Amino acid sequence: MSQEYDVAVVGGGVVGCAIARELSRYQLKVVLLEKESDVGRGTSGKNSAVVHTGFNVPVGSVKARLNVAGARMYGELCAQLSVPFKRVGKLVVALTPDQVPELEKLKATGDRNGVSALEIIGGDAIRRMEPNISGYAALHAPTAAIICPFRMTIALAENAVANGATILLDAPVTAISGKAGAFRITSGQGTVRSKLVVNAAGLYADHVARLAGVRRYKIWPCRGEYLIIDKARSDLIHGMIYPVPPKGGSGLGVHLTPTIDGNILLGPSAEYVRSKSNDATTAAVARTLMQEAQQFLPALNPRDVITAYAGIRPKTVSSAVGGFGDFIIEEAPELPGMLHLVGIESPGLTAAPAIAQDVAQWVGLHQPLQANPAFHPERKLPAPFHELPTEQQASLVAQDPDYGQIVCRCETVTRSEVLRAIHNPLGVHTLGGVKYRSRVTMGRCQGGFCGPRVEEMMEEELGLPATTMTQRGPGSWLFAGTTKELRTACAPKL
Amino acid sequence: MRTEAVDVAIVGGGPSGMAAAVAARRAGAEKVVLLERGEQLGGILNQCIHDGFGTKVFEQALTGPEYAQIYIDRMEETGVSYALNTMVLDLSPERELTVCSSQGLRQINAKAVVLCMGCRERTRGAIRIPGHRPAGVYTAGVVQYYMNLRNLAVGRRVVILGSGDVGLIMARRLTLEGAQVLCVAEILPYPSGLARNIVQCLDDFDIPLYLRTTVVEIHGRDRVTGVTLAQIGPHGGIVPGTKRLVECDTLLLSVGLIPENELSKKARVALSPVTGGPVVDDHLQTSVPGVFTAGNALQVHDLVDYACLEAERAGASAARYAMAGRLPAAEIAVRPGQGIRYVVPQLVSGTESVDFSMRVVSPDHDRYVIFRRDGHELRRMKENVLAPASMLRIRVRSDRFQRGAGELTVEVGA
Ligand SMILES: Cc1cc2nc3c(=O)[nH]c(=O)nc-3n(C[C@H](O)[C@H](O)[C@H](O)COP(=O)(O)OP(=O)(O)OC[C@H]3O[C@@H](n4cnc5c(N)ncnc54)[C@H](O)[C@@H]3O)c2cc1C
Ligand SMILES: Cc1cc2nc3c(=O)[nH]c(=O)nc-3n(C[C@H](O)[C@H](O)[C@H](O)COP(=O)(O)OP(=O)(O)OC[C@H]3O[C@@H](n4cnc5c(N)ncnc54)[C@H](O)[C@@H]3O)c2cc1C
């Protein structure tokens, strides 16, 4: 028997999860369907993690409106959801006098978009703020902030569930039929019925639209690669360092961004790729990223790189056409009752909470919105053990001995924190899911010591055999079997 | 928070930590405590079930756990107290340790400390292999743990990157456990492991070893589906036309070990960029007075015997320091010369005999290792086989240091 909902959201990225949470403020039955084994596994987990202020999006665009609105919501939202948020500020650095007019243009755009406190500063001021950076002048955006996009997405999803929304994981949507008031959505977790559908499938929004018979969208994948720099070098910069945006480029240029956990990101590159799943990193781009970053920070060394990753921009303009593509947020005339969010590239992370409000308004056009009296905007998590002063750590251990067992020694993650991650509200049972929720295995040794311990705890706590464990869901198996099984299978036939 | 005072505190309960603790007791320190993060003593030895341990000191080939047991017994005999499941979170230059276990957080004030935290493995990130990030890329230690202690097979078709002893031993173990080891790739022009391991672990099982070869890309989205191997030219670039795809489900990384010194950094101990471990004098004292170190935390050892001999020296020095409050000053700088990558210790007092450990830059044979002070030769030692993979350990007697002045250099010569 299929379940009946008011709104079905397809896609559990930051946008889909923000929507599910926003809709849970109202008396609505909401379901979110995500194809992966966890939320935030798409573009939302692979970006610069910056809450942009909105000075580099054209005046009057949808992007500009939602960027500025979203950025204003972030501080409070992060406090409500226990997601770390740091206003580290941003410098767009002009290396030569002839780049200064570009800074002035950015400032003018920002001022008109309603970004506060933008200021152009000279070389000395740059050095006072960032002793390792030299430049001729810079645009300073003090309100720019950094967050952790994984934790943001997870927090939104968990808060949505706490407020009554349903989240189905491992639920790739494969067919959508019906019409406004009576949609049928077929997924890996069965069929659900819903009055309205929101297509928040990110890179695959064109595909999901097509499943419903809407053929007007096309998304071109454009890959952005990053390098992550060791925490030991975190002192090199204090805020974000951006170049003057390259002309006609597909992005903001290679920048240096501090992360919330104390690393530095270099990137992203911008390169159209054929496949939406091609988020591989390449040696060639790694070299260029390092060279470009060294223009600003000669002290950087290729040896400081600890790892690399890539994210894919859902572009609505092809590389041949190029230029600016705005967010598309609309109901296609041929299919009322389904809202499409297409081309939600940067600043989509920033805009997500504002996009969610727009979506709620759209839902309100179809059915009256009544406040959910049980809605609770907060998701309180205790602060990470490693960030607490010793006295507080001591009292935690005295209350709960599991705080005294350090599982991950690089990041000082305790057994208590790992247990909480294993028993997460979304019921995610992958090693990756526990990793992103607790930071285990994310340190220097990348799980050399704690990986096996966490995996063993998952077996004990969830009652699952080791051979069913995966990194991030079906296909990403960790074990081929027991050694005995393997020996038997491979024994030479006599 | 509870506070207690001890003479010597040892961080880490691997073979080095245990050897240091026993030596500290034997040298007269009253109260010696050893703190181990894991559930049992023995460190990395617990998962090394192959034999080959103890050939230098005990003159027999023991398994890892057998070797560890010898020191566990000695700890009991000498009355070292130890705590398991206990992690040292912090260490101040004044030798105050913040220690965490399920019994609570406490502070230990030690007159002397010996750092024996061992090492960690280099990971994919540290060597930056581009491509996707699928499951199935494991470091050797993790595979060894799963295979030997949990009877779990991480994959069926395995490519091993790195020809050090760890990689070679794993090639044999995996084959015996029913996996197919397709090849071992090594970026250097020569294998990093001991010759006997090449024969016993690869040749005997027909596993090919590709030299000057590395993994340039990892394939597969969810799980590894293959790796691209390529030959590397003399300047570090890919030799054109040598790329080829090997289909496999597992990439095992055995690409080196890094001394574990996060705690040392907190105590502001100076580290050597070459060894990755602290800079020490001939008492194995670090730049922070009263803080000593030995074993894989000081430098990566290929033989546990040498790690333990070093640790005995560190433990005895710590006991001396705890009782006397100081040790003779070490002011003679030791520098690696021609053909030598590094020498430990980096400073000597010149009043006591010193066991130097060192590694050469490249393979060679029938050469001398020569110790000099401003032109005066203090000692020369014939070595038949020199290999970067084999640490050399050479003693210089105390009286020899008087033969010259200024810094001491160690070099490979004719
Ligand atoms: C390189 C790069 C850097 C960026 N930097 C920033 C930045 O600093 N600041 C900023 O504000 N923004 C940034 N962005 C943009 C931001 O990351 C995105 O706008 C945002 O993550 C989009 O979220 P989303 O939920 O729309 O998409 P996604 O995160 O891609 O989520 C879509 C989800 O839908 C799921 N899905 C797809 N098809 C189906 C199906 N058939 N059935 C069920 N589920 C399906 C996917 O698995 C995925 O989880 C950056 C983007 C890139 C690529
Ligand atoms: C696969 C492999 C094969 C080998 N084969 C041989 C061989 O055949 N023959 C041979 O002679 N040698 C061999 N060796 C080398 C030998 O095992 C090592 O030299 C030796 O184990 C190093 O001992 P250690 O005590 O310095 O480090 P470890 O054994 O690593 O012990 C360090 C201990 O410190 C603990 N620790 C770390 N940080 C903290 C903290 N903050 N608080 C509390 N505790 C902490 C760790 O949990 C660990 O138990 C091999 C090594 C490996 C990895």
Side-chain angles (χ1 to χ4, degrees), chain B residues 27-44:
Chain B
E30 277 291 318
K31 197 158 182 215
V32 178
V33 307
L34 178 148
L35 307 155
E36 166 58 45
R37 193 188 60 99
E39 285 170 9
Q40 50 180 332
L41 294 170
I44 196 77

Side-chain angles (χ1 to χ4, degrees), chain A residues 409, chain B residues 12 16 36-37 43-44 50 52-53 88 117 296 302-304:
Chain A
R409 74 185 194 199
Chain B
S16 316
E36 166 58 45
R37 193 188 60 99
I44 196 77
H50 60 281
F53 295 85
V88 180
M117 288 88 70
N296 280 355
D302 25 287
L303 293 176
V304 65

